Amino acid sequence: MLQLLVTRPLPPPGPSRLAELEALTTVLPDGSEAAGRDLRALLPDADVVLTHLTERVDRSLLERCPRLRGISNLAVGYDNIDLVAATDFGIPVATTPGVLTETTADLTWAALLGIARRIAEADHFTRAGRFERWGAELLLGADVGPGPDGRPKVLGVVGFGRIGEAVARRATGFSMEVLAHDPRHRDRIDSSPHARWSEFSQLLERS
């Protein structure tokens, strides 16, 4: 039977999907030194391992895993995995591209709105018991949309991969003008209905 090692517990629907597999699955505990020791101890007997970006899979570890037939990394990237060593041993490596695109774009906008509207500052101000009465200048913040003067704000997006494009798409809801710069994705910017190309210096000047 296929031996599957999962280096940390998965969020739903991960556990139910694992239960559907015809495999003997071992899930390591989360966030402890014991988990690291268990990984080194159990990986040599695994056929496939599902790793997280917190686990380093290097050549010295792979040398001890003659049965290993595949690595799947629960992350967009693969900095934690020695790809050269995996290739040398004939072990394919898979990642989960796109799994955090919308999440990261949401958090980017949460930070942008929070800073512009001074949300964290206002929260601390109120919790500290400093709020007495409303005033027109109290923690005023700034409009992200056009505001009273009707002029669209300009958002600069540096890097126009999946996440940059998702950030730009959200800006349309605030009637923003979006400038983007990414030498590797000029075609993507030119074809996007949500942004237009800008040289880096002009983007910094205008956004």
Side-chain angles (χ1 to χ4, degrees):
M1 179 177 286
L2 182 74
Q3 303 275 347
L4 172 62
L5 181 63
V6 183
T7 61
R8 284 173 181 257
L10 299 176
S16 60
R17 296 294 297 274
L18 290 178
E20 297 171 0
L21 300 176
E22 294 183 2
L24 181 59
T25 302
T26 301
V27 180
L28 300 183
D30 193 9
S32 68
E33 292 184 8
R37 290 194 298 270
D38 289 344
L39 173 63
R40 292 188 292 273
L42 297 175
L43 190 57
D45 295 323
D47 297 300
V48 177
V49 60
L50 174 56
T51 56
H52 293 63
L53 55 84
T54 48
E55 286 81 51
R56 176 67 183 163
V57 180
D58 55 19
R59 183 177 294 274
S60 64
L61 184 58
L62 292 175
E63 287 174 344
R64 301 173 49 233
C65 304
R67 288 185 51 169
L68 197 61
R69 292 152 47 187
I71 302 170
S72 183
N73 202 38
L74 185 62
V76 176
Y78 41 81
D79 291 347
N80 58 310
I81 298 173
D82 187 336
L83 289 185
V84 174
T87 301
D88 290 343
F89 289 112
I91 302 172
V93 176
T95 63
T96 53
V99 70
L100 293 176
T101 297
E102 301 301 320
T103 301
T104 307
D106 282 350
L107 291 173
T108 299
W109 268 93
L112 192 154
L113 289 168
I115 292 168
R117 283 300 183 185
R118 303 172 68 177
I119 291 173
E121 187 179 354
D123 178 74
H124 294 319
F125 182 87
T126 304
R127 289 177 186 273
R130 296 169 60 192
F131 177 79
E132 296 180 0
R133 61 180 182 144
W134 176 84
E137 296 295 323
L138 179 63
L139 294 165
L140 184 60
D143 292 304
V144 177
D149 64 5
R151 296 176 58 188
K153 303 297 190 300
V154 180
L155 177 66
V157 178
V158 179
F160 210 73
R162 288 184 295 267
I163 294 171
E165 191 168 20
V167 169
R169 187 173 69 248
R170 284 158 172 76
T172 60
F174 293 88
S175 301
M176 298 186 86
E177 178 185 354
V178 181
L179 304 179
H181 180 81
D182 188 336
R184 294 190 306 167
H185 294 299
R186 174 68 187 263
D187 291 344
R188 180 180 287 181
I189 297 172
D190 289 340
S191 62
S192 172
H194 309 296
R196 63 184 179 87
W197 169 267
S198 173
E199 295 295 340
F200 185 61
S201 59
Q202 295 173 340
L203 182 148
L204 294 179
E205 181 180 349
R206 292 205 53 213
S207 61

